[in-house]
Amino acid sequence: MKLHLYPTKSALGDAAAAMGAQAIRDAIAAKGRAHIIIATGASQFEMLDALVRQPRIDWSKVTGFHLDEYIGMSDSHPASFRRYLRERFTSKLPTLGAFHFIEGDARDLKAEVSRVGDLIKAHPIDVTFAGIGENGHLAFNDPPADFNVDEPYIVVELDEVCRRQQFGEGWFPTFEDVPQTAISMSIRQIMASDLVVLSVPDARKADAVQNALEGPVSPACPASILQRHPACHVFLDPASASKLSSASLRDADRDPE
């Protein structure tokens, strides 16, 4: 996992978006199309704002997927990830080729999991934009995560730490309102991406960052599996990097200013 350290969330988001955007351009140049995965949550605000403003991307040649969605939630709910992505991503890109949303309120969940799974199997992913949860989760793969499931999307139960993070970020009026289940992209599907760009600001992520980058690869910290990815870049600010060792920080790329 290559570490990039920036002084502010805005600078972090700009740099992460720029790296991902170049990978999108390269994929279009090489193959005629690019396929990407977009994460949600408060950690992605600055990155997404910068990504939709990146120059020289032919968005008509880009197909997108997202990482997860709550089960039973309509896309009009303030916490819906479909709503989040429409407001912050797809509505900003009117020429976007396609975006395949997870219908978490589908009547037949098994069929929906199969539908989005079949779609992503047909589109090898060039870039995954993601984050790390306060409990170390990757997508909604909470600890202990299943590193071996082959299906691209799975139904998962959300642990208390994960649910408290969603409540703490202000998406729900009470903790009890946070759903207990979701459809999530699997660990193996995330690992199949050619490039993984992680945007992880804020002090509340410091423990998870330390465990993911410096701890053992373990289902107890799902994001630690990215230590085994050949091209994973993690973008941090001083707060989220505050518990990393001096050795890790010494090797980090930094804002030249």
Side-chain angles (χ1 to χ4, degrees):
M1 299 168 76
K2 178 61 179 176
L3 174 58
H4 306 263
L5 185 60
Y6 286 84
T8 66
K9 288 196 287 186
S10 178
L12 180 163
D14 287 346
M19 175 175 283
Q22 187 57 52
I24 293 170
R25 295 186 201 102
D26 291 346
I28 293 172
K31 301 181 291 186
R33 291 204 61 82
H35 304 98
I36 65 175
I37 294 166
I38 300 291
T40 55
S43 67
Q44 305 300 304
F45 288 162
E46 291 78 13
M47 188 282 294
L48 285 175
D49 181 62
L51 182 61
V52 298
R53 294 184 285 106
Q54 289 293 309
R56 303 185 308 281
I57 296 177
D58 184 351
W59 288 104
S60 70
K61 297 179 179 178
V62 178
T63 296
F65 296 84
H66 63 124
L67 285 173
D68 39 38
E69 180 60 286
Y70 296 109
I71 288 176
M73 181 177 288
S74 75
D75 63 1
S76 62
H77 190 286
S80 165
F81 295 137
R82 285 168 288 170
R83 176 172 173 171
Y84 175 113
L85 287 164
R86 288 184 177 118
E87 290 177 349
R88 294 176 171 83
F89 188 69
T90 61
S91 68
K92 310 288 187 181
L93 301 170
T95 64
L96 185 66
F99 199 97
H100 298 296
F101 291 101
I102 305 167
E103 305 294 334
D105 54 350
R107 290 186 178 182
D108 188 336
L109 280 180
K110 184 177 180 180
E112 177 62 9
V113 169
S114 295
R115 180 188 72 83
V116 291
D118 289 344
L119 282 167
I120 204 167
K121 286 177 184 177
H123 298 89
I125 300 300
D126 299 295
V127 190
T128 292
F129 296 91
I132 297 175
E134 292 177 23
N135 63 356
H137 72 204
L138 191 59
F140 265 151
N141 296 284
D142 287 337
D146 188 338
F147 286 171
N148 299 312
V149 63
D150 289 322
E151 290 305 308
Y153 286 95
I154 56 177
V155 173
V156 296
E157 293 187 6
L158 307 183
D159 72 11
E160 182 175 341
V161 177
C162 172
R163 294 175 66 225
R164 289 202 177 279
Q165 176 183 331
Q166 310 311 312
F167 171 61
E169 290 182 358
W171 302 108
F172 297 92
T174 71
F175 172 71
E176 288 70 26
D177 290 317
V178 183
Q180 298 184 35
T181 56
I183 297 172
S184 176
M185 189 173 290
S186 68
I187 293 291
R188 282 198 169 183
Q189 178 59 52
I190 296 168
M191 291 291 286
S193 177
D194 287 347
L195 172 68
V196 177
V197 177
L198 296 179
S199 299
V200 195
D202 298 328
R204 61 194 173 90
K205 301 292 184 72
D207 285 327
V209 166
Q210 181 187 40
N211 291 331
L213 273 69
E214 298 182 341
V217 175
S218 167
C221 180
S224 66
I225 192 67
L226 291 169
Q227 294 178 31
R228 296 178 178 171
H229 193 281
C232 176
H233 293 258
V234 55
F235 292 79
L236 307 177
D237 62 8
S240 60
S242 62
K243 295 191 177 181
L244 291 176
S245 68
S246 57
S248 292
L249 295 174
R250 185 172 57 246
D251 294 334
D253 285 340
R254 298 172 185 266
D255 188 328
E257 297 183 1

